[in-house]
Amino acid sequence: MLASERKKTRYCNMAIVLYELAGADPGLRFSPYCWRSRMALAHKDLTVRTIPWRFSEKQALAFSGQGRVPVLKDGNKTVVDSWAIASYLEERYDDRPSLFGGEMSHAHVRFMNAWTDTVLNPGIARMVVRDVLDALDSKDKAYFRKSREERFGMKLEQVQAGREERLPELRKMLEPVRIALGEQDWLGGDDGPSYADYILFGSFQWPRCISKFELLAKDDVLWGWRERMLDLFGGLGRSAKTVY
Amino acid sequence: MLASERKKTRYCNMAIVLYELAGADPGLRFSPYCWRSRMALAHKDLTVRTIPWRFSEKQALAFSGQGRVPVLKDGNKTVVDSWAIASYLEERYDDRPSLFGGEMSHAHVRFMNAWTDTVLNPGIARMVVRDVLDALDSKDKAYFRKSREERFGMKLEQVQAGREERLPELRKMLEPVRIALGEQDWLGGDDGPSYADYILFGSFQWPRCISKFELLAKDDVLWGWRERMLDLFGGLGRSAKTVY
């Protein structure tokens, strides 16, 4: 964090601050997990000041006791991890539109969250992880390549190779979401989006921001859902900076 | 349906009746979808009279306008499909313990339902589908083999072959559930099970009833969860008839 940033935070410590992953262009915000928090804040109609953060800026997050984003600061309260942030916002701002719709519902969304983290996001990573590298700040590139190549056990170029041929497999993986969205406008029902929608939206906003590679077919029910998501909150998602 | 059954239904038409898939032994009830409904009825503390049904008894379901179970009859009302049955029970018996926990939550469980139908259950079928054949009534066997071999594109023996080696893959598929249940006692939260738990339970009760093949490791958080599920409602699941 810059000294000027720190000062600002100190002087208006009631403002909500969100640390978000950024690319070489500080306006390029593409982390699926940060998008979850960003949409959750908008759902609660809360004003937020976002701070661009790069993988190599571990020191800037030292105050949070860990080194990953999103990190939320709300006055004196610091919350890390997208799920914890959503749960915090729901409880702290319980007079505002609900993200979950009750305790049992909050519990139900955990499965969706875990599925997205462990199945869908790794699947999408295999489509765009090499494109991510291009968008990163030069000081992040070596770390990103090394850590992700260790995770996948191969070069980033190999991970992403043949993505056109693998696209049907990814689309098949989305079948349970497709079935749910075939029955209702949002994962949260017909009345409007819930945090479940923001979880899934993050996974699509990520490739949308850092790659030209299109994951969805126009006749997919998911395409229409994503269009509705992009329109929410005055086009918050649609107006996001992209690499193209 | 036998004439005697029809008569009984007519004379006490306020009793809830559930048509359930049965094996050669009419007491052997193993359909994952029927178990969802059975547990949902118990959750609502509703008395039910179950009627064993075999694949070849299409005529017995003619009154429902289709040929699959579960089928619920509640007085003059007929409901088909496990999801529709759960939704019906929730609305009709809204003064009893909730299965979903509100409308948004009901919407959220759709994803879990669709994932179980399209990912988990086909995965479990590949482990036990040949064992199912052994448990069926002789009049069902030819139909079952033909329809399932068409679905899988191979002999039932080939589908089930090598299941020991494929077990890690199935267990990996369960990772999102494992993460959710690592954080809370039930998919519905810490206070008790919800319909999401009954959906998943059906998928485990099915192999438990018709096969000796064990899908879970004892140190899996899912094992403990299944034990708790088997104990519910006076051991409704635990006391179910099995082939062994």
Side-chain angles (χ1 to χ4, degrees), chain A residues 137-166:
Chain A
D137 193 273
S138 57
K139 66 184 177 183
D140 278 3
K141 289 186 194 253
Y143 158 81
F144 185 81
R145 180 181 279 281
K146 185 167 184 292
S147 61
R148 269 49 178 182
E149 291 187 348
E150 275 171 19
R151 188 181 297 173
F152 287 104
M154 62 180 88
K155 303 288 286 178
L156 294 187
E157 288 73 12
Q158 291 174 290
V159 177
Q160 194 174 294
R163 59 183 173 181
E164 290 80 6
E165 292 70 34
R166 293 184 288 104

Side-chain angles (χ1 to χ4, degrees), chain A residues 43 98-112 114-115 117-119 172-173 175-177 179-180 183-184 186-197, chain B residues 43 98-112 114-115 117-119 172-173 175-177 179-180 183-184 186-197:
Chain A
H43 184 98
S98 176
L99 285 163
F100 291 98
E103 272 188 47
M104 192 188 278
S105 193
H106 179 259
H108 287 151
V109 179
R110 267 196 198 276
F111 171 72
M112 172 87 205
W115 176 82
D117 291 356
T118 61
V119 179
K172 185 165 181 284
M173 187 187 281
E175 190 58 16
V177 192
I179 291 171
E183 297 291 332
Q184 55 203 28
W186 314 91
L187 290 173
D190 281 323
D191 293 340
S194 76
Y195 189 66
D197 292 278
Chain B
H43 184 98
S98 177
L99 284 163
F100 291 98
E103 272 187 49
M104 193 188 278
S105 194
H106 179 259
H108 287 151
V109 179
R110 266 196 200 274
F111 171 72
M112 171 86 204
W115 176 81
D117 290 357
T118 61
V119 179
K172 185 165 180 283
M173 186 188 282
E175 190 60 16
V177 191
I179 291 171
E183 298 290 332
Q184 55 203 28
W186 315 92
L187 291 173
D190 280 323
D191 293 340
S194 75
Y195 189 66
D197 293 278

Side-chain angles (χ1 to χ4, degrees), chain B residues 220-235:
Chain B
D220 191 333
V221 68
L222 278 163
W223 182 285
W225 166 85
R226 188 179 56 181
E227 287 297 303
R228 293 195 293 281
M229 293 298 297
L230 288 166
D231 287 338
L232 290 173
F233 316 124

Side-chain angles (χ1 to χ4, degrees), chain A:
Chain A
M1 200 198 288
L2 301 169
S4 60
E5 287 288 3
R6 209 177 297 124
K7 202 169 163 189
K8 219 185 284 174
T9 308
R10 199 185 301 139
Y11 287 158
C12 59
N13 66 359
M14 291 312 291
I16 297 178
V17 174
L18 185 69
Y19 287 78
E20 288 188 317
L21 184 63
D25 178 341
L28 185 70
R29 313 290 173 91
F30 56 90
S31 155
Y33 306 98
C34 294
W35 271 104
R36 294 179 190 179
S37 300
R38 193 72 184 282
M39 297 296 275
L41 284 158
H43 184 98
K44 289 285 186 189
D45 198 19
L46 291 164
T47 304
V48 61
R49 187 161 60 88
T50 66
I51 297 181
W53 175 86
R54 273 70 173 244
F55 287 113
S56 49
E57 298 171 350
K58 297 292 180 197
Q59 197 50 43
L61 299 182
F63 72 93
S64 72
Q66 53 89 63
R68 295 167 69 175
V69 289
V71 173
L72 182 100
K73 269 184 72 86
D74 186 9
N76 294 320
K77 179 84 180 171
T78 297
V79 191
V80 301
D81 176 78
S82 59
W83 180 261
I85 288 170
S87 303
Y88 165 78
L89 293 175
E90 184 75 342
E91 202 180 325
R92 170 71 182 79
Y93 299 98
D94 60 356
D95 55 333
R96 290 168 180 249
S98 176
L99 285 163
F100 291 98
E103 272 188 47
M104 192 188 278
S105 193
H106 179 259
H108 287 151
V109 179
R110 267 196 198 276
F111 171 72
M112 172 87 205
N113 199 65
W115 176 82
T116 309
D117 291 356
T118 61
V119 179
L120 181 60
N121 284 356
I124 293 180
R126 280 179 215 105
M127 296 291 173
V128 297
V129 71
R130 181 60 186 77
D131 293 342
V132 172
L133 186 71
D134 286 336
L136 293 181
D137 193 273
S138 57
K139 66 184 177 183
D140 278 3
K141 289 186 194 253
Y143 158 81
F144 185 81
R145 180 181 279 281
K146 185 167 184 292
S147 61
R148 269 49 178 182
E149 291 187 348
E150 275 171 19
R151 188 181 297 173
F152 287 104
M154 62 180 88
K155 303 288 286 178
L156 294 187
E157 288 73 12
Q158 291 174 290
V159 177
Q160 194 174 294
R163 59 183 173 181
E164 290 80 6
E165 292 70 34
R166 293 184 288 104
L167 199 50
E169 190 188 324
L170 183 83
R171 290 179 178 173
K172 185 165 181 284
M173 187 187 281
L174 288 160
E175 190 58 16
V177 192
R178 198 169 286 123
I179 291 171
L181 289 173
E183 297 291 332
Q184 55 203 28
D185 282 350
W186 314 91
L187 290 173
D190 281 323
D191 293 340
S194 76
Y195 189 66
D197 292 278
Y198 305 140
I199 293 169
L200 187 67
F201 178 70
S203 301
F204 285 105
Q205 188 70 340
W206 166 37
R208 184 178 178 276
C209 290
I210 53 89
S211 178
K212 282 186 199 168
F213 189 66
E214 180 53 62
L215 300 178
L216 298 176
K218 280 200 174 171
D219 61 352
D220 191 333
V221 67
L222 278 162
W223 181 286
W225 166 85
R226 188 179 56 181
E227 288 295 305
R228 292 194 294 281
M229 293 299 298
L230 288 167
D231 287 337
L232 289 173
F233 315 124
L236 176 63
R238 198 180 293 282
S239 63
K241 203 165 257 191
T242 72
V243 293
Y244 44 89

Side-chain angles (χ1 to χ4, degrees), chain B residues 157-176:
Chain B
E157 289 73 12
Q158 292 175 287
V159 178
Q160 194 174 293
R163 59 183 173 182
E164 290 80 5
E165 291 70 35
R166 292 183 287 106
L167 199 50
E169 188 189 326
L170 183 82
R171 290 180 178 171
K172 185 165 180 283
M173 186 188 282
L174 287 160
E175 190 60 16

Side-chain angles (χ1 to χ4, degrees), chain B residues 28-234:
Chain B
L28 185 69
R29 312 289 172 94
F30 57 91
S31 155
Y33 306 98
C34 293
W35 271 104
R36 295 179 189 177
S37 300
R38 194 69 183 283
M39 297 296 274
L41 284 157
H43 184 98
K44 289 283 184 190
D45 199 19
L46 291 164
T47 305
V48 61
R49 187 161 59 88
T50 66
I51 298 180
W53 175 86
R54 274 70 172 243
F55 288 114
S56 49
E57 297 170 351
K58 299 291 180 199
Q59 197 50 43
L61 299 182
F63 72 93
S64 72
Q66 53 90 63
R68 297 167 69 176
V69 288
V71 172
L72 182 99
K73 268 184 73 87
D74 186 8
N76 294 322
K77 178 83 179 172
T78 298
V79 191
V80 302
D81 176 78
S82 59
W83 180 263
I85 288 170
S87 303
Y88 165 78
L89 292 174
E90 184 74 342
E91 200 180 327
R92 170 69 182 79
Y93 299 99
D94 59 357
D95 55 332
R96 291 169 178 246
S98 177
L99 284 163
F100 291 98
E103 272 187 49
M104 193 188 278
S105 194
H106 179 259
H108 287 151
V109 179
R110 266 196 200 274
F111 171 72
M112 171 86 204
N113 199 65
W115 176 81
T116 310
D117 290 357
T118 61
V119 179
L120 181 60
N121 284 357
I124 294 180
R126 281 179 213 104
M127 296 291 174
V128 297
V129 70
R130 180 60 186 79
D131 293 343
V132 172
L133 186 71
D134 286 337
L136 294 180
D137 194 274
S138 57
K139 66 184 177 182
D140 278 2
K141 288 184 195 253
Y143 157 81
F144 185 82
R145 182 181 279 280
K146 185 166 183 295
S147 60
R148 270 51 179 181
E149 291 186 347
E150 276 172 15
R151 188 181 298 174
F152 287 104
M154 62 180 88
K155 302 288 287 178
L156 294 186
E157 289 73 12
Q158 292 175 287
V159 178
Q160 194 174 293
R163 59 183 173 182
E164 290 80 5
E165 291 70 35
R166 292 183 287 106
L167 199 50
E169 188 189 326
L170 183 82
R171 290 180 178 171
K172 185 165 180 283
M173 186 188 282
L174 287 160
E175 190 60 16
V177 191
R178 198 170 286 120
I179 291 171
L181 290 173
E183 298 290 332
Q184 55 203 28
D185 283 349
W186 315 92
L187 291 173
D190 280 323
D191 293 340
S194 75
Y195 189 66
D197 293 278
Y198 305 140
I199 292 170
L200 187 66
F201 178 70
S203 301
F204 285 105
Q205 189 71 339
W206 166 36
R208 184 178 179 275
C209 289
I210 53 88
S211 177
K212 281 186 196 166
F213 188 66
E214 180 54 62
L215 300 179
L216 298 177
K218 280 199 175 171
D219 61 355
D220 191 333
V221 68
L222 278 163
W223 182 285
W225 166 85
R226 188 179 56 181
E227 287 297 303
R228 293 195 293 281
M229 293 298 297
L230 288 166
D231 287 338
L232 290 173
F233 316 124

